[in-house]
Amino acid sequence: MSRNKEYNSCNLQVSCENCESNVFCEAWVRFVLLHNDTKSYAHFDKRVSLALPTIREYVQTERNIAMHRFYPFVHFTKNHKRFGKPKKPRELYYCSHLDRCVYQRYAFLLNQKYNERVTKLGISNVSIAYRDNLNKNNIDFAKVAFDAIKEQGHCLVMVGDFTNFFDRLNHKYLKTMICNLLEKNELPADHYAVFKNITQFASWDWKSIVEHCGYKITERGIRTKLNRQKQGVLMTKEQFRSGKKYFKVNRSGIGIPQGSPISAILSNVYMLDMDVELNNFVVEHNGMYMRYSDDFIIVLPYDNDETAMEYKNKVLTYFQNKNGLVELHEDKTNLLIYNDGTFSSFPDGNPATLDYLGFIFDGTSIKLRAKSATKYYYRMRRKAKHIGKQNWISPTGKRITAKNLYRIYSTNDE
C-alpha cells in the first residue's frame, strides 16, 4: 500500500496517480509528517499523535468527530516581564492530546479550502501568517514590504495592530465565514462539533487541577512531576468527574483560545472578507496591503498631505464601521511618510523608523529589532538548559539529541 493510501485510510482500487484526490492526499501526508510529534505535557488523556494509524483513521471519520467528546483545556496564566517591565499576563490554554489531533485535522481541511479561495480571489500574498503553501518566513515577508516602500519612493505607510484579536473574534460572524468557505448553508455535523468546542470551550485552571490531585501548587517541580506521570494522564476518571464543578465555559459569544492547532486558520477565515475589501481599496490606489495575524501594513502612494489624510481616515473609518468585529489598537497603530530614503511620522513630521515583523527599517538600512534578538537568545538558553536539566533523556526514556539545537541556533550543523 502506498503512503498516500495508508495515511488517508483509502481503500479505492484506483492508483494514486490516476485519482483526482491525489493532490489533497499528498498534502495530508506532508501535513502529518510535519505535525506528528507527541507533546510532553500531561493532560486528561493519554499521549497520542497523528503518527499513530488508529488516530489518523479516527480523525478522518466524520461521524467520530460529530460525536467526539472534547476535554476541557488546561488553563495557565503566565506572568512575565520584558526588559524588566511587567507585561500583560498571557492566558494560555492546552487542549488534550486526542483533541489536538482532531483540531489538527480540521485545521488542515480549512487551510486547504482557504488556500484555494485566496488563490481564486488573487489575494494569496495578503494574509501571510500560518500559511502552509507560501514557503516563506518573516524575513521574506518583511523584505517584500520594505521593497514595496522603496519602490514607491514617496508613500504613506500605516502599520496597525488589532486589540485582543483572538479574544474578540465574534462567534456568529466566524461561523458565517466558515460556512461561506465550505460553500454550505449550515456547518456539517463534524465541522459544527469542532466549531462549537473551540468557541464555547471549557477550561480548568492549572492551580485548581494541582490541588484537586492532592498536591500543593507551591511544591517545587510540581509541573514536571505531573508531566512525568504514567502516559501523561493528570488524574483518574473518578477525579476528573468529581472536578467538573471547576470547569469554566466560554459563553460570551466572542473569543477562541489562542495557540490551539485550529485557532490560526480560524483567524484567517475570520478576516477573509475584510482582507478582500481592504486589498481592493489599496490596489485601486496602486498600493500594497499585507496582514500577519493581528498585525497589518498598508503602503499607499500619495500626492499631498490632504490625500494622505484622506487615506488615513478611510482606513480608520473602515474598521470603525465593522461593529466591533475588530478593533484597532491605538497605541500600536502608526502612520509614517516615506520620502526617498527617510521616514517621518504623520502628520507631525518628526523623524521616525518603521518597526515591522521583528525588523527596524530607517528608510535605508534594515536592522534586527533588539527584543527579537533577546527572544532568540532567551529561547536558545531555555532549550539548552532544559536538555541539560533532563540529563539528555526525554520523559519517554529516549536519548535527547542536540541536533535541532545546533540546527536552529548555531552555524555549526554537525
Side-chain angles (χ1 to χ4, degrees):
M1 180 183 290
S2 70
R3 188 160 63 178
N4 272 12
K5 287 186 177 294
E6 177 190 352
Y7 277 50
N8 287 277
S9 303
C10 176
N11 296 316
L12 297 178
Q13 296 302 311
V14 64
S15 66
C16 293
E17 293 76 11
N18 296 322
C19 180
E20 61 182 14
S21 300
N22 192 41
V23 173
F24 174 88
C25 292
E26 288 181 341
W28 172 241
V29 171
R30 289 194 299 271
F31 182 90
V32 171
L33 293 177
L34 287 171
H35 302 87
N36 62 2
D37 59 316
T38 302
K39 295 298 184 182
S40 61
Y41 61 78
H43 216 285
F44 303 122
D45 62 346
K46 299 177 183 178
R47 293 188 179 100
V48 296
S49 76
L50 292 176
L52 300 173
T54 53
I55 299 301
R56 291 198 300 271
E57 183 177 359
Y58 179 86
V59 301
Q60 291 177 80
T61 305
E62 294 177 0
R63 64 178 178 274
N64 287 343
I65 309 307
M67 302 178 66
H68 181 72
R69 299 184 67 178
F70 290 80
Y71 277 109
F73 285 78
V74 173
H75 168 249
F76 294 87
T77 298
K78 185 175 182 180
N79 297 292
H80 61 290
K81 297 180 180 181
R82 175 176 290 175
F83 304 115
K85 297 180 180 180
K87 276 192 65 182
K88 180 182 177 181
R90 291 183 62 195
E91 305 302 326
L92 304 179
Y93 296 88
Y94 293 86
C95 57
S96 78
H97 298 286
L98 181 55
D99 292 353
R100 171 175 170 258
C101 296
V102 173
Y103 287 137
Q104 286 176 319
R105 171 63 178 180
Y106 281 79
F108 166 79
L109 295 176
L110 289 176
N111 209 48
Q112 292 298 301
K113 291 289 187 180
Y114 180 83
N115 288 339
E116 292 174 6
R117 180 66 61 84
V118 294
T119 299
K120 182 179 180 180
L121 293 170
I123 62 165
S124 186
N125 292 321
V126 167
S127 174
I128 55 177
Y130 320 123
R131 302 286 300 283
D132 62 356
N133 65 333
L134 296 181
N135 300 314
K136 295 180 179 179
N137 57 33
N138 283 16
I139 299 173
D140 301 305
F141 298 133
K143 185 178 186 304
V144 170
F146 300 155
D147 285 349
I149 293 169
K150 289 189 289 186
E151 185 178 338
Q152 292 287 357
H154 185 65
C155 56
L156 172 71
V157 180
M158 175 181 287
V159 180
D161 183 288
F162 300 122
T163 302
N164 299 327
F165 182 51
F166 286 90
D167 295 336
R168 296 174 61 92
L169 297 188
N170 182 285
H171 295 170
K172 289 184 179 179
Y173 183 76
L174 176 59
K175 183 181 178 182
T176 298
M177 293 303 298
I178 299 173
C179 287
N180 289 343
L181 184 67
L182 298 177
E183 298 180 329
K184 302 285 186 181
N185 292 326
E186 292 290 337
L187 290 179
D190 55 327
H191 278 276
Y192 178 72
V194 174
F195 168 80
K196 181 179 178 181
N197 283 279
I198 199 63
T199 51
Q200 299 179 34
F201 64 95
S203 64
W204 190 350
D205 187 73
W206 172 251
K207 293 181 180 180
S208 175
I209 291 173
V210 172
E211 293 170 358
H212 189 69
C213 290
Y215 300 100
K216 293 182 179 180
I217 194 65
T218 55
E219 184 178 336
R220 184 178 178 84
I222 184 60
R223 185 176 300 180
T224 300
K225 182 177 181 178
L226 290 175
N227 284 344
R228 287 181 173 177
Q229 291 193 147
K230 185 178 180 181
Q231 296 181 313
V233 181
L234 281 169
M235 59 183 67
T236 65
K237 291 182 179 180
E238 290 73 20
Q239 285 177 315
F240 178 80
R241 284 193 288 266
S242 64
K244 289 185 177 180
K245 59 185 177 182
Y246 300 112
F247 295 2
K248 292 183 179 180
V249 181
N250 179 34
R251 303 193 187 282
S252 64
I254 60 172
I256 61 175
Q258 184 176 357
S260 82
I262 200 172
S263 297
I265 180 58
L266 290 180
S267 70
N268 278 344
V269 174
Y270 186 86
M271 291 295 298
L272 185 53
D273 280 357
M274 284 180 263
D275 285 341
V276 171
E277 292 166 357
L278 276 171
N279 189 65
N280 287 344
F281 165 73
V282 172
V283 170
E284 181 183 344
H285 294 87
N286 301 311
M288 184 209 73
Y289 165 60
M290 186 185 292
R291 181 180 59 81
Y292 190 98
S293 187
D294 57 349
D295 297 306
F296 69 87
I297 185 170
I298 292 175
V299 180
L300 284 165
Y302 75 103
D303 297 323
N304 50 54
D305 286 356
E306 288 74 19
T307 304
M309 185 62 72
E310 179 184 347
Y311 288 160
K312 169 197 169 184
N313 291 335
K314 281 188 176 180
V315 173
L316 295 180
T317 300
Y318 174 80
F319 288 118
Q320 290 170 359
N321 290 339
K322 284 301 169 182
N323 299 317
L325 293 179
V326 291
E327 181 179 335
L328 283 181
H329 196 305
E330 293 184 7
D331 294 338
K332 295 184 179 181
T333 300
N334 299 313
L335 290 108
L336 308 172
I337 294 296
Y338 176 78
N339 189 20
D340 295 327
T342 61
F343 281 106
S344 59
S345 58
F346 182 79
D348 53 37
N350 294 326
T353 56
L354 174 61
D355 184 342
Y356 185 62
L357 294 183
F359 295 91
I360 302 294
F361 181 39
D362 64 7
T364 303
S365 60
I366 302 170
K367 297 180 181 179
L368 189 65
R369 186 170 55 186
K371 62 183 179 182
S372 298
T374 300
K375 184 184 293 185
Y376 175 88
Y377 285 111
Y378 166 75
R379 289 178 175 174
M380 178 183 68
R381 183 176 180 273
R382 184 179 62 181
K383 289 179 183 293
K385 184 178 180 181
H386 177 72
I387 291 175
K389 188 176 181 180
Q390 296 298 114
N391 197 27
W392 298 86
I393 302 297
S394 74
T396 58
K398 295 181 179 180
R399 174 73 176 174
I400 299 176
T401 174
K403 182 178 179 180
N404 286 337
L405 189 68
Y406 281 110
R407 179 178 59 83
I408 299 172
Y409 296 103
S410 173
T411 56
N412 177 10
D413 58 358
E414 296 181 359

